[in-house]
Every structure is written in C-alpha cells, then in structure tokens.
Amino acid sequence: MGGQPPSGTDKRLALVVRRFPKLSETFVVRQAQGLLERGWDVHVITADAGGDWGAFPDLDRRVWGRRIRREPPSGSRLLAALRLPLRLARCVFRRPRGTWQFLRRAAPAGGARAVKRLYLESPLLLLDPDLVHFEFGSLAVERADLGRLLGCKVVVSFRGFDLNHVGLDRDGFYDPVWRGADALHFLGRDLRDRARRRGFADAQPFALIPPALDPGCFAPRPSGSSDPGPGGPLRILSVGRLDWKKGYEYALRALRRLKDSGVDFEYLILGGGEELDAVAFARHQLGLSDAVDLAGAVGQETVRQRMAEADVFLHLAVSEGFCNAVLEAQAMALPVVASDAGGLPENVVDGETGFIVPRRDPDAAARRLAELAEDPELRQRLGRAGRRRVEEHFRLDQQIAGFEELYRLALSTGEAA
C-alpha cells in the first residue's frame, strides 16, 4: 500500500473496530496504513483480532500484529471474573496514576461498575492514547465518555448503517455521542443531514471526508475493451454483501425487464451474506439462473479482475452511506447505474459518470442498462469521466490529510479531562 511522507506527529491513535482486518472494511485498513505511514502511532482496538489476513496480502502482519489489541471477553461472567484480577493488577503496575484516575472518574456509576468498566477498557487504558477514533457511531454510544475517563480526545465516524438503521426506536439514542465526542466524521452531506435529524448540532466540530482509494491500485482496462463485441452479452457486475439494504431484488427485477426487451447480458454478483438463499430463490423465480452468477465473497484482487472484465457496474441499494465498491468501479472506468439511496448521488454524477435512478424502480434501471448496452461510446465516455473524478476528488492521500486535519482539530479542543 502506498504512503506519503511522514507528517511528523508523535500522537498515539487508537482505532476502534469490531474486527481487523475485515474484508468488507477495506477503507479502515487503508486509513490505518495511510496514517501509520504518515507518522501517526496507530493502534487498533478490536473484539475480533482473527482478521481476514488473506484478503490483504500487502498488509504486513508482523507490523500490525504488534499494534492490534483485543478487547477482553465479556460474554462469560465466570471467565471475566477470573481474568479481572490479572487485568486490574497489570493496569495498576503499568499505569498506577491513570488507573486511579479512571476509577475515580467512573466512581459515580458505583464501585463495582467502575471496576467492570476498567476491565472492559483496560486495553485502551494500557495503551494511553492521545486520541480514540470509533470507526462506527454504533460502537461509541456506550463508550463516548472515554475522553473523560482516559483523559484523551474522542472522534466518531458515521458511515451509513449506524445513522440509517441503528437505534431508530429510541429517542436520543446518539445523544451520548453528541455530548462526548470532540469531533465527528461523516462520509458526506446526506449522513450529516441525517445526523442533524437525530440530534447533531453543527456547532460541534465535524468534517465531511468521503471514502477514498489509491487510483494506482485500480487500473482501467485499455480504451475500447468495454465493447462486448458483435452479438456479445453486456457484462454487468455488482459487488457487495448479500443484504436487503443492497437491493438485489430490484437489480434482478431490472434484469428480468432487460431480458424481456431482448438485451443479452451476463450478471455477476460478488459478495456473501445471510441473504444468499433469498437472492438465489429470486434468481430462480425470475427465470434468470442462466444469466446470473452468484460468486460469493472474494478478495480485492479478484474484485479488480472482475471489474476489468465488466461493462457496467450496477448498485440499486435501498439504503447506503456512500459505497466504496461504486467508487472502485469508477476508478476502473466503469459506468455505474445506481439508486438514489443515501450518499450515492454524491458518489455518482448523474449523466456524467453514470446514471442515478430512483430506488426500488427496476423499470428506470432497466432503461438505463438498455441505453448503455446499445451505446459502447457512451459507456466509455462515462467510464473515463468516472476515472477522472476519482483521481481529482477521492484519492487516498486526500482522505488521510482530511483525517489528520480532523484529528488535530479534536486535539486542539479545550483541555483533556
């Protein structure tokens, strides 16, 4: 993975995620690696340190193995009770003053609860970070007071699912985050606006930092190779988890209409998930078994290969934050047909890098796919524009610089408790 010259910072940064590295969260891996190469002392706090290492051959496991700290198990009360004395002793021995301050600040919750909280947060206490970054808002709700407990700064990211779906049945669900975070990160304007509707006030420091990638890792195919040839099928690709949010049922309905109109196509879906049976049944029910291939979850290199072979990228999500796969497709000079869900209209410029259609509207998607099938020059023009836009606005170095600016803003807000 490419890097930039060190920025000279000596600040210790803790990224909090559920699993690292995770195949479906390549953006976290890129962020962590980019910040490390810029001179930040990056560490990862995770509940699952097993990780999908095979999907990240460029990630040095020897380097990151020393920088990943696993959260203590909490599912078993007996196991937690057995481990607690040892954890407490380590904290007292290695950070006596910090341990005492943590317990004193957490004491209003009760002595036993304060000790339990110390057990759960012991990896962060021992790490003694300058800044903690929760990569998803849902991870921060019950831990947004860590800045006060640890005497550090807290940044929280909102990437889509957390604002669109989590805690909708509870008023003020994210109020602890709005109170406890020193700065917030949103992928785009749509998520910021959703946060406003859930209690976020613009007076709080925040930044809009979209997903990004290294354009050098996504090389477009030679000009003209997008033409499937006389009589050849239009090669359509989707990449994403098999989840209801991704709208595969609408994609399949659009393709049924496309087939009924006489357009020959091949549709490949890369991704695994709990909706596999439902998607496979819909494929069968719509009579598309001979034209739709469910290839399952694959690594990043395979994704790039399949994008290089495709003619069109299709993403008809019903709920979306921004979508990294759509960004990667544009970097590969693929025209995109996407729904208007969430931040997708910020990702794809309608009529310039692809087409935006109303969500849950397979007829509109089918019409755009047919238009692209009939016009290879249009596909190439949209694809080239998508590549240029990624190079200008969604480069990894720009994203890393954005995070650095946000971190410095958080570190400069008041005095750590």
Side-chain angles (χ1 to χ4, degrees), residues 116 152 238 268:
K116 178 182 178 181
C152 65
S238 289
L268 174 63

Side-chain angles (χ1 to χ4, degrees), residues 306-318:
R306 297 296 177 260
M307 284 184 175
E309 298 166 358
D311 302 304
V312 179
F313 192 87
L314 181 63
H315 191 71
L316 301 185
V318 297

Side-chain angles (χ1 to χ4, degrees), residues 15 105 145 149 203 247 249 267 274 292 300 303 336 366 397-398:
L15 305 179
R105 291 164 179 166
D145 60 346
L149 297 178
E249 62 173 299
Y267 182 35
E274 59 187 18
V292 178
Q300 191 65 50
V303 170
V336 175
D397 59 337
Q398 294 172 326

Side-chain angles (χ1 to χ4, degrees), residues 65-379:
R66 300 189 298 269
R67 293 182 172 273
I68 298 175
R69 301 187 181 218
R70 186 171 183 176
E71 295 173 349
S74 58
S76 169
R77 290 187 177 183
L78 177 59
L79 184 59
L82 292 173
R83 293 191 175 188
L84 188 149
L86 179 59
R87 288 267 177 175
L88 184 59
R90 287 180 62 191
C91 291
V92 170
F93 178 74
R94 293 178 55 185
R95 291 204 61 212
R97 185 169 181 270
T99 301
W100 166 247
Q101 290 178 338
F102 186 102
L103 290 172
R104 178 173 56 83
R105 291 164 179 166
R113 290 186 178 182
V115 172
K116 178 182 178 181
R117 185 71 188 279
L118 176 66
Y119 166 76
L120 294 174
E121 305 295 0
S122 56
L124 279 167
L125 176 65
L126 293 170
L127 181 63
D128 191 19
D130 297 286
L131 189 147
V132 175
H133 183 173
F134 291 97
E135 292 287 355
F136 297 91
S138 55
L139 295 177
V141 173
E142 297 182 355
R143 305 170 70 182
D145 60 346
L146 276 177
R148 179 178 63 85
L149 297 178
L150 295 174
C152 65
K153 300 297 183 178
V154 173
V155 171
V156 181
S157 284
F158 287 92
R159 301 180 180 276
F161 181 80
D162 35 25
L163 280 174
N164 295 341
H165 303 284
V166 178
L168 293 176
D169 57 339
R170 289 173 52 188
D171 291 338
F173 181 78
Y174 282 116
D175 285 357
V177 177
W178 311 143
R179 291 192 303 266
D182 296 284
L184 299 163
H185 158 232
F186 305 105
L187 292 184
R189 296 185 301 275
D190 177 76
L191 287 176
R192 178 203 56 196
D193 294 343
R194 289 176 183 270
R196 286 171 174 165
R197 295 194 289 271
R198 300 192 66 175
F200 164 67
D202 280 356
Q204 206 166 355
F206 74 94
L208 305 181
I209 306 173
L213 49 78
D214 180 359
C217 293
F218 294 86
R221 57 195 164 182
S223 177
S225 63
S226 64
D227 188 349
L234 182 72
R235 297 161 296 195
I236 306 169
L237 175 68
S238 289
V239 178
R241 299 185 310 278
L242 299 183
D243 188 284
W244 68 268
K245 300 185 297 295
K246 300 301 181 181
Y248 287 113
E249 62 173 299
Y250 300 103
L252 293 174
R253 291 181 189 178
L255 294 178
R256 179 67 257 179
R257 288 157 173 74
L258 194 65
K259 189 169 188 177
D260 291 342
S261 69
V263 175
D264 188 20
F265 65 86
E266 296 173 351
Y267 182 35
L268 174 63
I269 300 175
L270 302 181
E274 59 187 18
E275 295 293 316
L276 173 61
D277 290 344
V279 174
F281 178 73
R283 175 183 64 174
H284 168 74
Q285 191 176 44
L286 291 167
L288 296 172
S289 297
D290 60 339
V292 178
D293 182 10
L294 303 174
V298 299
Q300 191 65 50
E301 181 57 36
T302 301
V303 170
R304 287 194 291 263
Q305 292 174 0
R306 297 296 177 260
M307 284 184 175
E309 298 166 358
D311 302 304
V312 179
F313 192 87
L314 181 63
H315 191 71
L316 301 185
V318 297
S319 177
E320 189 61 84
F322 201 90
C323 192
N324 288 270
V326 167
L327 200 61
E328 293 169 356
Q330 291 174 98
M332 295 287 289
L334 272 177
V336 175
V337 176
S339 73
D340 60 359
L344 288 172
E346 300 175 58
N347 192 333
V348 178
V349 181
D350 186 37
E352 181 180 322
T353 68
F355 294 116
I356 295 293
V357 300
R359 74 192 79 182
R360 302 184 179 89
D361 191 341
D363 290 319
R367 287 193 294 270
R368 288 305 192 183
L369 289 170
E371 186 177 348
L372 291 168
E374 296 168 0
D375 194 341
E377 292 185 2
L378 174 62
R379 297 199 300 270

